[in-house]
Amino acid sequence: MESIVISLGGSIISTDGLNLNFMENFARELQGFGGDYRFGIVVGGGSLARSYINDLRKYGVNDNILDEIGINATRMNALALSSFFADSNSKIPVTVNDAAELARIYRFTIMGGTEPGHTTDTVSTLLAERINARIMINATSVDGVYTDDPKKVKGARKIPSLTYDEAINLALSKSVGAGPNVFMDLTALNIAKRSRIRLYVTKGTDLSEYRRIITTGSTSGSIIG
Ligand code: UTP
């Protein structure tokens, strides 16, 4: 059985409330894969996390607590998503260890964040490493890795394929004060590099991308590794 991990950007399922339509279609698409595949899905915090974190930061709440708030938001989104899958956990694991145990039972293991100090991209690569997934799909709001943030910089170019080191250098050059705008967090890139997990960065709302990546190995987004 092949293991696939998806880092599902929170902005895809949580904008102004939950994007129920997307969750329903996403679940239908993945459940259409046969029993040859098992999936680990790590869900981000989206606007739920962002609004709490931004408001509380103004009152001087420290980053560790803000991260805990963010983690709780990711877990709420994960629990919401799990309702759409017939063969998934309905209790959200709080560690990669626990998620790996659930992955032995369920075809779909759904979780959010784990510890302060990183994002769900890192959790995704750790889970991929743990359950021997060869690929991790980073399903985001941007359709690939760009030379600059395409939402801010006119003329930013998409980069179809990068080595791990090219991706790390690009993330390093963009990470000063950028926070969530970096295409993937650095720890995630380093974990993918050490275990040679191929990363796909693609627009998560384009449902055809999942089948394309999983069955053909190609993408309209970007490949790292
Ligand atoms: P996300 O993984 O959604 O972070 O977790 P992000 O990349 O900043 O958000 P998007 O995907 O671009 O919308 C939300 C927040 O939860 C905390 C961090 O504060 C993160 O910014 N978090 C999440 C952790 O501290 N640890 C985790 O394992 C996961």
Side-chain angles (χ1 to χ4, degrees):
M1 191 184 302
E2 182 168 352
S3 303
I4 310 281
V5 172
I6 299 175
S7 180
L8 189 62
S11 59
I12 294 170
I13 67 161
S14 160
T15 39
D16 287 333
L18 284 174
N19 189 349
L20 298 173
N21 231 350
F22 169 78
M23 294 202 281
E24 192 177 12
N25 293 330
F26 175 73
R28 188 178 306 122
E29 181 66 25
L30 294 192
Q31 287 177 127
F33 281 88
D36 292 343
Y37 296 94
R38 67 172 172 171
F39 291 86
I41 304 170
V42 185
V43 187
S47 65
L48 183 64
R50 205 55 61 75
S51 68
Y52 272 69
I53 289 173
N54 288 346
D55 284 353
L56 290 168
R57 180 167 275 137
K58 290 182 202 139
Y59 285 88
V61 173
N62 71 46
D63 277 339
N64 188 277
I65 292 178
L66 295 180
D67 277 353
E68 290 289 356
I69 296 271
I71 291 167
N72 278 288
T74 65
R75 289 180 182 157
M76 252 174 86
N77 287 339
L79 186 56
L81 183 69
S82 76
S83 313
F84 290 81
F85 286 84
D87 187 11
S88 78
N89 53 302
S90 57
K91 185 169 178 236
I92 301 306
V94 298
T95 65
V96 167
N97 251 340
D98 290 348
E101 285 304 307
L102 293 174
R104 296 151 72 100
I105 303 167
Y106 298 104
R107 202 148 68 86
F108 298 94
T109 300
I110 302 177
M111 72 183 299
T114 54
E115 297 287 334
H118 54 231
T119 72
T120 45
D121 290 341
T122 292
V123 178
S124 301
T125 48
L126 288 168
L127 181 62
E129 191 172 54
R130 179 60 181 267
I131 64 173
N132 296 315
R134 285 182 307 109
I135 68 170
M136 192 278 263
I137 302 173
N138 190 11
T140 74
S141 57
V142 183
D143 67 339
V145 179
Y146 280 75
T147 49
D148 281 292
D149 184 347
K151 288 175 187 156
K152 292 185 184 148
V153 181
K154 219 177 146 209
R157 261 184 322 101
K158 194 198 289 188
I159 312 171
S161 119
L162 301 87
T163 64
Y164 294 115
D165 286 333
E166 284 167 347
I168 287 166
N169 286 333
L170 184 63
L172 270 173
S173 73
K174 304 290 169 211
S175 66
V176 184
N181 294 324
V182 177
F183 61 93
M184 199 178 292
D185 85 40
L186 269 169
T187 315
L189 291 170
N190 278 307
I191 290 160
K193 181 183 173 189
R194 77 176 181 185
S195 290
R196 308 213 68 74
I197 299 159
R198 179 172 274 212
L199 304 173
Y200 290 84
V201 181
T202 192
K203 198 169 180 69
T205 49
D206 182 353
L207 289 174
S208 63
E209 272 291 295
Y210 299 100
R211 188 163 292 277
R212 183 174 176 189
I213 291 169
I214 292 166
T215 60
T216 72
S218 63
T219 177
S220 63
S222 303
I223 299 177
I224 302 170

